[in-house]
Amino acid sequence: MNKSKTILTALLALSLSVNAFAQEPRTLELNIGKPGAPIQPTMYGIFFEDINYAADGGLYAELIKNRSFEFPNAFQGWKPFGNVELRNDGPFERNPHYVRLGNVGHGHKHTGLDNEGFFGIGIKEGEEYRFSVWARAPFGGEGRIRVEFVDTDSMGERQHYTQTRVRINSSEWKQYEVVIKSPVTDPKAILRIFLETPTVSVDLEHISLFPVDTWKGHKNGMRKDLAQALADLKPGVFRFPGGCIVEGTDLDTRYNWKNSVGPVENRPLNENRWQYTFPHRFYPDYYQSYGLGFYEFFLLSEEIGSEPLPIVSCGLACQFQNNDEHAHVAVEDLDPYIQDALDLIEFANGSPDTKWGALRAEMGHPEPFNLKYIGVGNEQWGPEYPARLEPFIKAIRAKYPEIQIIGSSGPNSEGDQFDFLWPEMARLEADLVDEHFYRPYDWFLSQGARYDSYDRKGPKVFAGEYACHAKGRKYNHFYAALLESAFMTGLERNADIVHMATYAPLFAHVEGWQWRPDLIWYDNLNSFRTASWHVQQLYSQYKGEKVIKATVNGAALTGAEGQDGLFASAVVDGNKVYVKVVNVSDKEQSLALNFKGLKRKQSVSAVQRVKFQSENLYEDNDLKNPDNFVPVVEALNATDIVKIEPYCFSIYCFEIN
Ligand code: AHR
C-alpha cells in the first residue's frame, strides 16, 4: 500500500483566490438519513510525555527538586550550609541518599539547606502546602528543624514569609508532616530548612512539599489547573509516558514502568533525555523522579474519563541517537522486555491475587483499570522494528487476546520508512498504527483527504503525535491551530479507520521548554490553553456519534483545488447535527445547506453556532492574556445557508425534530 501523498505547493489552498464574482454559494449536501461510521469513543485524545518539564515541575505537583538527593550531583537544586553531610545508607533501598544535619561548631553559625524548586517554588496567598520529610535523630534526643518559605531577594527586614517547626522525636526513620499556609503569593520562593538543635543531629530524606489542594486532593497528586485542562478536553484516550522517553537515549535510561510504581520514596531516579537532546535548549537539572508513575497515569486516565494507552519499550533505544546495533536488545534477548509488557497488563487488569495486580491493590486500586490498548515501541523504524514487534505481538495475543496492540509507522508522515512499515504492521496484524507528523502549513493544507484512500481492511489509524509546525514560526499561533482544525475534518470524516488522534506535545513550562508548539503552557502559578487546545476541545465537545456525508457536488470539502480553502465534515449526535466548516482563506464564504434523507414530518431547526475565528494569525493566548483566542457561541437562525468568515473554524449545530 503506497500511502505517500504528493504535498501540494506551498499554501495552495490559501493562495486560491476566492472567486469574487461567485454568485451562487456552494451547496453542502448533508446526508442525515444515512449516518455512516461511528465516531470511536477514543477520539480525541491526549499524549503525555515528560518533555518541557511536563511531569516534575509541571503536572506532578511536587515543589521540591531532587527531593531524595539522588541526582548525580546530589546537591543539585539544594544549597547546603553549615554542617551537612551526604550519606548513602538510607531507609529506601533504591534511593539510598539522605543528609545528616549536625553541629557546625560555633553558636553563631547555622546548619541547614535551601531548595530552589523548579524555576523557584510557586506559592499562593492563603493556600496550604504539605511539607513532609522522612527523618530521625540518629544519636537520640529530640531534634528540631525550622521550615521557611523564603524570598532571598527580599529588601525587607527578614527574608522569610512564614516559619514552621518540626520536632524529630525518634531515632528510627519516620515520616513527619506539617501543613503550612502561605501568607503571600510568590512564583519564585525557596524552601529553607534550619537545624534548630545544634546538639541533636537529624537525618533527612525525601523532603517534599505539595499544595494540599491538588487534583482530586491526592497526596502524591497533580497540579490542579493542569489536570483540569486535561479533564476539560474530555479526552477519549490518554497515551503515556511518551514519546522518545519510552526508548531512552540508551536502554538504561528508557522509561522503565516497574521503577515508577510502589512507594514514591523508593522509585529510583531516571535521567530525562530532554535534558540534553538539544544543546541549544540545555537543562542539566532535568530528571524523572517517577513520582508521576504508571499508577498515577492510570488513575488520572480513569479520573478524566479516558482510555489508558501505555507505550512500552520494544528493546530499541532511541534510533535518532543510536546507529550501533549493539545499543539495542537483540531479538533473542527480548524476553525480559516482553515480560515487562505482560506484567504491565497484569498490573492494570490482573486480580489482586496476581503479583502485579496485588501491587496495584496495595497502592489503592483493587479494581482493575480496564486496560484495552498497549503500544509497543514509540516511533521506531527499519526492519529492526517489526523483527522486535513480532515476538511481543505473539506473546501478548497468546496471554491477553483482548488487548489491542499499536505499532508504529516511524517518525515521518510519508516516505520510504512509512511505506515499508505500514505493510509490515498489516502483516503482523497490529490493531492500530501510530503515525507521527509535525509538519508545516502546506502539508496540513494538502492532507484534508489523507485518509480517504487508506485500506479499510488493514490496521486502524492512531494519529499519535501531530501539530502544525510553521517554518520560521515555531511557536503556538492561531493560524497553525486553524490548519489543525482543517486537517481534523479529515480525521472525523474517516472515522471508520481513524480511531485515535492525539496532538503533541501536551505541556510546556515557559522557563523550561525544549520543544514547541505545545498544547498547554504554564509558569509556577498560572497556565493557559492555546488556540490548538481549543480546537482539540471543540472536536471533543462536538464529537457526535456517527459521521454523516457532507459533500459539494459529490465531493468532500478537503481544501482541494477549486474549493477555495474550505474543509468540512459533519456528525450526528442523537437528534443533533454538528457541521464543522473551516475556511482557511482570507475571504468570507457561504454555503447553502441541503439536509437530505429527512423523514416525512421531520424538520431541521438551527440551534447555535460555535465560532473560532481571528485575523490575528500569528498570535496566541499567553499567561497574561489566557483568553485572547477562545471560541464564541452565537445564535444561528438559518438552516438553509451559513456564512463563514475568513480564517474561521465554525461548528453549526442543528436539531432534527
Ligand atoms: O513530541 C516530541 C517528540 O517527537 C516525541 O518524543 C517523539 O516521539 C517525536 O519525535
Side-chain angles (χ1 to χ4, degrees), residues 47 49 51 239 243-244 274 320 378-379 436 438 465 504-505 515:
F47 158 91
E49 176 169 22
I51 182 173
R239 168 180 162 183
C244 289
W274 296 108
F320 286 112
N378 176 40
E379 53 179 30
H436 292 182
Y438 298 105
E465 289 186 34
W515 182 292

Side-chain angles (χ1 to χ4, degrees), residues 184-195:
V184 296
T185 295
D186 183 350
K188 287 184 177 291
I190 63 152
L191 182 93
R192 176 166 289 164
I193 297 173
F194 277 112
L195 176 68

Side-chain angles (χ1 to χ4, degrees), residues 122-282:
I123 49 175
K124 285 189 184 160
E125 184 181 347
E127 292 277 312
E128 293 184 322
Y129 296 86
R130 181 176 286 111
F131 170 84
S132 68
V133 60
W134 283 83
R136 66 176 178 180
F139 310 118
E142 183 174 279
R144 198 171 62 240
I145 54 171
R146 189 167 79 235
V147 182
E148 300 183 345
F149 292 168
V150 161
D151 171 15
T152 47
D153 295 334
S154 172
M155 292 293 283
E157 291 305 317
R158 45 170 207 253
Q159 293 171 309
H160 63 264
Y161 295 127
T162 179
Q163 300 180 316
T164 309
R165 288 178 172 79
V166 181
R167 291 174 194 284
I168 293 144
N169 55 13
S170 170
S171 56
E172 300 299 320
W173 285 104
K174 266 180 28 184
Q175 193 176 29
Y176 297 82
E177 196 177 285
V178 60
V179 170
I180 306 172
K181 189 181 244 183
S182 174
V184 296
T185 295
D186 183 350
K188 287 184 177 291
I190 63 152
L191 182 93
R192 176 166 289 164
I193 297 173
F194 277 112
L195 176 68
E196 285 201 326
T197 50
T199 56
V200 182
S201 298
V202 298
D203 291 344
L204 305 180
E205 157 67 315
H206 197 87
I207 302 173
S208 170
L209 183 74
F210 273 86
V212 170
D213 191 18
T214 56
W215 164 257
K216 304 268 179 209
H218 297 302
K219 271 195 169 176
N220 185 53
M222 306 301 134
R223 194 173 132 172
K224 209 174 171 183
D225 59 331
L226 299 184
Q228 191 62 53
L230 301 186
D232 289 348
L233 285 170
K234 304 201 186 322
V237 71
F238 180 15
R239 168 180 162 183
F240 57 85
C244 289
I245 67 163
V246 168
E247 307 156 27
T249 297
D250 41 39
L251 290 166
D252 285 348
T253 55
R254 75 187 190 281
Y255 196 104
N256 182 341
W257 77 265
K258 286 179 174 167
N259 286 346
S260 80
V261 292
V264 281
E265 294 87 346
N266 210 14
R267 300 183 192 172
L269 189 81
N270 195 17
E271 193 175 278
N272 190 315
R273 59 157 285 150
W274 296 108
Q275 182 187 117
Y276 45 71
T277 301
F278 302 129
H280 53 282
R281 302 282 312 170
F282 188 66

